[in-house]
Amino acid sequence: MNSSRFETDDDLMRLALGLAEQGRGSVEPNPMVGCVIVRDDQVIGQGYHQRFGGPHAEVHALRDAGDARGATAYVTLEPCCHHGKTPPCSDALIAAGISRVVVAMADPFERVDGGGLAQLQRAGIETRVGVLEQQARELNAPYLKRLKTGRPFTIAKWAMTVDGRIATSTGQSQWISNEASRADVHALRGRVDAIAVGMGTVMADDPMLTARPAGVRTATRVVFCANRLPTTRSRLIQSATEVPVLLIVSPRIGSSDVAELEQLGASVYRCTSSNLVQMIHQTLDFLGGQGMTNVMIEGGGKLMASFLTADAIDQYEVYIGAKVFGGHRALGPVAGEGFASVAEAAALRLVSLQRLGDNDVKLVYRNTPRGRFDAPDVSQ
C-alpha cells in the first residue's frame, strides 16, 4: 500500500508497468501484468502477476487494497474474462465494486480480445484504453510475438571489445567483460526458455550454458548440428540428464549417429533441410510449439550471421568491455558474408544503455522491421 499522490493516469499506469516488470522470467508464456488501485487520488493497492499459474495482477492488487469500492483500477493489459488456471479478473473487479478501469492495451489473446472490456462496460464500469500503450507493447513484445507468429522472441547476446572484437587474433576471449557484465548475462540466462549455440562454440569452448546462480527458469541448451555432433565427453552431454539439451540436427546426420547421445539424455529435433537459415526457421516454429517465449542466442559468429540472414533476431544485448584487441584476423560477433551496402544493413532501435561496473557498457537494441510481430516504435 502506498499513500503517495499521483497527478495523471499516465503516472499511475507508469507505476503499474514498473510492477509488471517484476514478473519477467516467472510468468511466461503468460504476459507480464501490473495493477494499481486508486481512490481519492491515493494508491490503496498494488499487485503484479508473480508466477505462471498463480493469481493475476488484479487479484493481488485487490487483496492489497482490502475495500476497493468506488476505486479506479489501472491495469497494463486488458483484464481476462475466461476461466483458465485462475478465475476471470473481470469478475473480480466487478465484485469488488471498482467504478473505473484504465487499461494500457487490449489483450489480443483469442479468449480475451476485447471481451474483458466489454464485460466491464456491461456492468456499468467506466473504461479507458490506450494509456501508455506503446510502453505496454514494448514490455510484452515477446508475448505479442508468440501470439501472432507462434514463435519465441529471440535475443542475440555477445560481449565485445570497444573495437568490435569477440576474441584476439589467436582466439583468446576470456575475459572481455567484467564481473558485473558476466553476472548480468547469468541473470539473463536464468530468465529465458532456451539458449542456442552452434557446434563451433561447443567445440571451441565446451560450455555449460547454465545460469550461475540458478535463475527462475532452467533454459534448455539448444545446439545447431548441421554437420557434426557434440562428443559424449562434452559438458553439455555429460549434464544432459540434469539440464535439458536439445540437438537440432540436419538430414546429413543419421539416426544411428545420435542414438548414443539420446541414451545419455539429449533430445533431438530433426530438420528437413541442411541449410542453417532453414534450420533456424524450423527450429523457432518447433520451440514456439513447445511453449517457449524467449530464446537467447549466444553464438558463435556463423550461427549469429545465419539468424541475421533469416531476419530472426528480435533483440540485441551487447556488452562492451573496456579493451581494444586490434588485428584484422581478430573475430567480430557476426560472421558470414555480411550485407553488401549500408542500405541493406539491419536497422536497430536503441532501447537502453547501462553502465556495468567501472568501465563496461550494456546496450540493448530492438530490430525495427515491421510485420514480423506487433512491436511498437517508441523512438518518436
Side-chain angles (χ1 to χ4, degrees):
M1 191 174 294
N2 189 329
S3 61
S4 299
R5 295 183 67 88
F6 294 84
E7 298 297 327
T8 67
D9 285 352
D10 283 15
D11 291 335
L12 289 153
M13 189 61 73
R14 196 168 289 110
L15 175 60
L17 287 166
L19 291 168
E21 172 70 31
Q22 296 181 49
R24 187 179 298 278
S26 299
V27 302
E28 292 84 352
N30 283 353
M32 291 171 277
V33 183
C35 179
V36 175
I37 308 292
V38 178
R39 185 169 52 218
D40 299 328
D41 296 328
Q42 301 290 325
V43 174
I44 62 172
Q46 301 182 44
Y48 67 96
H49 187 27
Q50 299 179 8
R51 61 178 179 83
F52 178 72
H56 289 185
E58 297 92 325
V59 173
H60 282 295
L62 289 169
R63 289 174 180 172
D64 188 39
D67 179 4
R69 287 174 294 179
T72 297
Y74 292 82
V75 193
T76 59
L77 187 69
E78 177 182 3
C80 65
C81 55
H82 65 285
H83 283 270
K85 292 185 177 297
T86 61
C89 291
S90 53
D91 286 352
L93 293 168
I94 294 168
I98 292 289
S99 62
R100 181 173 180 253
V101 175
V102 180
V103 174
M105 63 170 290
D107 187 351
F109 180 54
E110 61 181 2
R111 296 183 68 184
V112 183
D113 198 17
L117 288 164
Q119 184 181 356
L120 295 174
Q121 291 162 0
R122 286 195 299 269
I125 295 174
E126 178 189 348
T127 62
R128 182 186 177 194
V129 185
V131 175
L132 300 189
E133 180 174 357
Q134 296 287 62
Q135 290 88 330
R137 290 183 176 276
E138 182 88 3
L139 176 72
N140 275 315
Y143 168 74
L144 295 173
K145 181 190 177 183
R146 188 164 174 271
L147 275 187
K148 185 169 184 177
T149 70
R151 291 183 172 187
F153 189 82
T154 54
I155 304 165
K157 165 264 162 186
W158 64 73
M160 68 181 187
T161 61
V162 172
D163 58 332
R165 268 64 168 185
I166 62 169
T168 67
S169 58
T170 60
Q172 295 181 17
S173 61
Q174 296 182 347
W175 293 102
I176 290 174
S177 56
N178 63 23
E179 290 185 7
S181 292
R182 297 196 294 275
D184 194 78
V185 170
H186 281 286
L188 177 59
R189 284 180 175 180
R191 295 195 301 266
V192 299
D193 296 300
I195 300 169
V197 297
M199 272 304 300
T201 296
V202 174
M203 298 288 288
D205 300 337
D206 192 22
M208 277 292 286
L209 301 178
T210 53
R212 300 182 294 276
V216 294
R217 305 183 89 81
T218 299
T220 297
R221 284 91 55 85
V222 177
V223 184
F224 282 84
C225 309
N227 301 298
R228 52 187 174 175
L229 294 165
T231 69
T232 58
R233 298 183 301 277
S234 70
R235 295 204 295 167
L236 287 172
I237 299 302
Q238 289 292 311
S239 61
T241 57
E242 302 167 10
V243 181
V245 174
L246 174 63
L247 305 177
I248 308 300
V249 302
S250 77
R252 294 172 183 164
I253 296 174
S255 299
S256 59
D257 297 324
V258 300
E260 187 176 7
L261 302 182
E262 289 181 292
Q263 290 175 358
L264 292 172
S267 299
V268 174
Y269 174 68
R270 185 168 292 280
C271 295
T272 60
S273 172
S274 298
N275 177 278
L276 193 49
V277 170
Q278 293 302 315
M279 291 177 68
I280 287 168
H281 285 304
Q282 292 180 22
T283 299
L284 292 176
D285 287 337
F286 173 73
L287 296 180
Q290 297 299 300
M292 294 190 181
T293 303
N294 292 284
V295 173
M296 180 178 175
I297 314 155
E298 288 220 32
K302 181 179 178 181
L303 183 65
M304 205 69 74
S306 297
F307 266 88
L308 181 64
T309 300
D311 192 20
I313 301 176
D314 298 308
Q315 184 161 299
Y316 295 76
E317 304 215 1
V318 180
Y319 298 81
I320 301 178
K323 295 179 176 67
V324 175
F325 285 169
H328 66 275
R329 283 191 291 270
L331 297 175
V334 183
E337 295 298 319
F339 296 108
S341 68
V342 173
E344 294 176 275
L348 310 180
R349 172 172 52 83
L350 181 65
V351 174
S352 67
L353 185 154
Q354 179 184 3
R355 183 170 180 167
L356 293 170
D358 291 334
N359 297 305
D360 281 14
V361 174
K362 178 184 179 181
L363 302 173
V364 177
Y365 291 93
R366 286 270 174 92
N367 201 5
T368 58
R370 299 304 183 96
R372 295 181 302 119
F373 69 102
D374 196 7
D377 181 358
V378 297
S379 61
Q380 297 178 354

